Amino acid sequence: MRNRPGPDHRDRAWPVTPAAGTSRSRATDGATVNPARSGAMPGTLSAASVIVVRSRVPAGAVRERFPRVILEGVAPSGTPPRHGTEGARKNRQVLRRVLEDPMTALVDWRSCYKCQTLFFDILPEKGACPAGGGHKAFGFAYAFVSDATETPTQQSNWRQCGNCYALFFDGFPEKGICLAGGGHQATGYMCTVRHDGSGDNPTQQTNWRFCGNCYVMFFDGFPEKGRCAAGGGHQASGWVFVIDHWTDEPQDFMDWQELSTFDLVNNTRRQNGHPDVWIEPALVGTTRAHSQDLADHPGLKDQLWNGWPGHMGSDGSTPPDRITKAVGIPGTENVYFGWSSGSAPLPTPQDALTWWMNEPGHRDNLLNPNHTRAGVGTSYGPGTAPDGSPATYFYFTQDFID
């Protein structure tokens, strides 16, 4: 049965000013108007010769700092990473290519920091990760040839699994092991990956390998081998692959939905005469962690902090706690969540922006001209719709600082 948001449906987004310690506005009831959900997969478009794949595994010492910044929302020692005017400009340029080019928009692949595989990142739901839940992206854009003839230095038959969203090798009768159950299910383009023996350079990365247990493409450059659907870590086999990528970009720290939300916010700020906010990686980490916390604890969204639901952490943390822990100073926080059940459309970044802009407190936070840095984190998880039916809730958190 198709369940649409009705009179009892509540999409909430609460602005908070931690520095003042008080709420600035109260969300009101309202129905979300969600655009039709796109179920399109890469293979539904006309053929193209090049697929843009978004993924990067940080190399060297970056690995030691990256997880604490992005996964936990903790700033590393020294000055927190910042991306200024040039970074914001590059972010807009690259993201706009993703948003406006229909070919690019359906071929957004990323590395999952939890299991170290490449997965399809465009859709709001993120497949099935062996480490639990859906995949979660980090890294920048790769590009490789699709539907090309196999040669002595490149291998074809790499496909997207329509169930777990991982990139897997489809050249054997058996289809590996999919966390969603059974073998992988091929969908979309056939991708061709080089194994020509070239190494790392500013625009390509090696050490991508085939896992002989689950058949996915995973990064083999770290001592730990991610998480395999067959159990334990991945087992490298066969060629050492090389994938071309764009140079480092500020948006490396967010997934497609987070980037879309961030760009929509900056577009709105520019339309209202305010400068862009920079991507603050530590705030990406803390907003991701809070959205995931809400998803992992379905009743948490209803707990109040200073009269507002949606801001309490399961560990008792509040927005001032989390933001100060991440960057050393307080800031403001906007939270939005909406639900979908059956075949109803899923909440989108545009839904979050629309809600925030239609409520004075959220709008004030979003358009505050003093804000210079921000991060967006999204997640989703099971819940119950107002009519008692099972539903999926999507959570959007954005933190700002001056």
Side-chain angles (χ1 to χ4, degrees), residues 35-68:
R37 179 185 179 187
S38 173
M41 304 301 277
T44 62
L45 294 179
S46 58
S49 60
V50 176
I51 286 192
V52 175
V53 182
R54 304 183 55 79
S55 180
R56 173 173 68 94
V57 176
V62 178
R63 174 65 176 175
E64 299 304 316
R65 290 159 48 109
F66 188 89
R68 285 182 56 77

Side-chain angles (χ1 to χ4, degrees), residues 99 114 120 125 160 187 202 210 296 299 323 345 357 392 398:
L99 295 176
K114 298 188 292 183
F120 186 61
E125 294 167 303
Q160 177 204 343
T187 187
F210 164 74
D296 289 341
I323 296 174
M357 287 299 291
T392 301
Q398 182 161 28

Side-chain angles (χ1 to χ4, degrees), residues 152-399:
T153 59
Q154 64 182 26
Q155 185 179 55
S156 60
N157 285 314
W158 285 91
R159 304 289 297 278
Q160 177 204 343
C161 174
N163 294 328
C164 71
Y165 293 13
L167 184 69
F168 81 100
F169 185 67
D170 191 37
F172 301 136
E174 63 274 17
K175 303 304 177 185
I177 298 175
C178 176
L179 189 71
H184 295 292
Q185 180 66 47
T187 187
Y189 292 112
M190 182 179 294
C191 302
T192 303
V193 191
R194 291 187 295 118
H195 52 83
D196 57 10
S198 58
D200 287 337
N201 67 43
T203 59
Q204 69 181 34
Q205 186 179 54
T206 187
N207 287 319
W208 287 95
R209 303 294 298 276
F210 164 74
C211 175
N213 293 331
C214 68
Y215 290 17
V216 304
M217 177 78 77
F218 80 100
F219 184 71
D220 191 38
F222 302 135
E224 65 276 16
K225 303 304 177 185
R227 296 286 289 275
C228 176
H234 295 292
Q235 180 65 48
S237 179
W239 302 108
V240 177
F241 294 100
V242 178
I243 306 179
D244 296 326
H245 61 71
W246 297 340
T247 56
D248 286 340
E249 298 284 355
Q251 66 269 27
D252 297 355
F253 298 103
M254 290 188 281
D255 70 17
W256 197 89
Q257 277 68 38
E258 293 161 348
L259 285 168
S260 298
T261 306
F262 197 93
D263 198 58
L264 286 169
V265 167
N266 268 342
N267 285 340
T268 303
R269 287 176 63 88
R270 290 194 298 275
Q271 290 167 7
N272 285 271
H274 303 306
D276 286 3
V277 288
W278 304 336
I279 295 172
E280 171 53 66
L283 290 182
V284 176
T286 200
T287 53
R288 279 185 165 188
H290 183 60
S291 289
Q292 187 62 53
D293 199 22
L294 293 171
D296 289 341
H297 304 87
L300 187 61
K301 66 182 183 298
D302 299 317
Q303 294 186 21
L304 302 182
W305 176 75
N306 284 351
W308 296 96
H311 292 287
M312 287 298 300
S314 61
D315 60 356
S317 65
T318 64
D321 300 329
R322 293 188 295 270
I323 296 174
T324 302
K325 181 181 179 182
V327 294
I329 59 174
T332 65
E333 180 172 278
N334 281 356
V335 171
Y336 165 92
F337 64 81
W339 61 269
S340 175
S341 61
S343 58
L346 304 181
T348 68
Q350 183 61 57
D351 294 332
L353 178 72
T354 298
W355 181 270
W356 289 337
M357 287 299 291
N358 285 339
E359 203 286 324
H362 308 89
R363 182 186 177 94
D364 288 347
N365 282 351
L366 195 149
L367 296 181
N368 187 328
N370 296 320
H371 288 331
T372 61
R373 290 179 281 163
V376 176
T378 65
S379 191
Y380 64 93
T384 303
D387 64 2
S389 64
T392 301
Y393 278 77
F394 290 79
Y395 303 89
F396 295 72
T397 302
Q398 182 161 28
D399 288 348

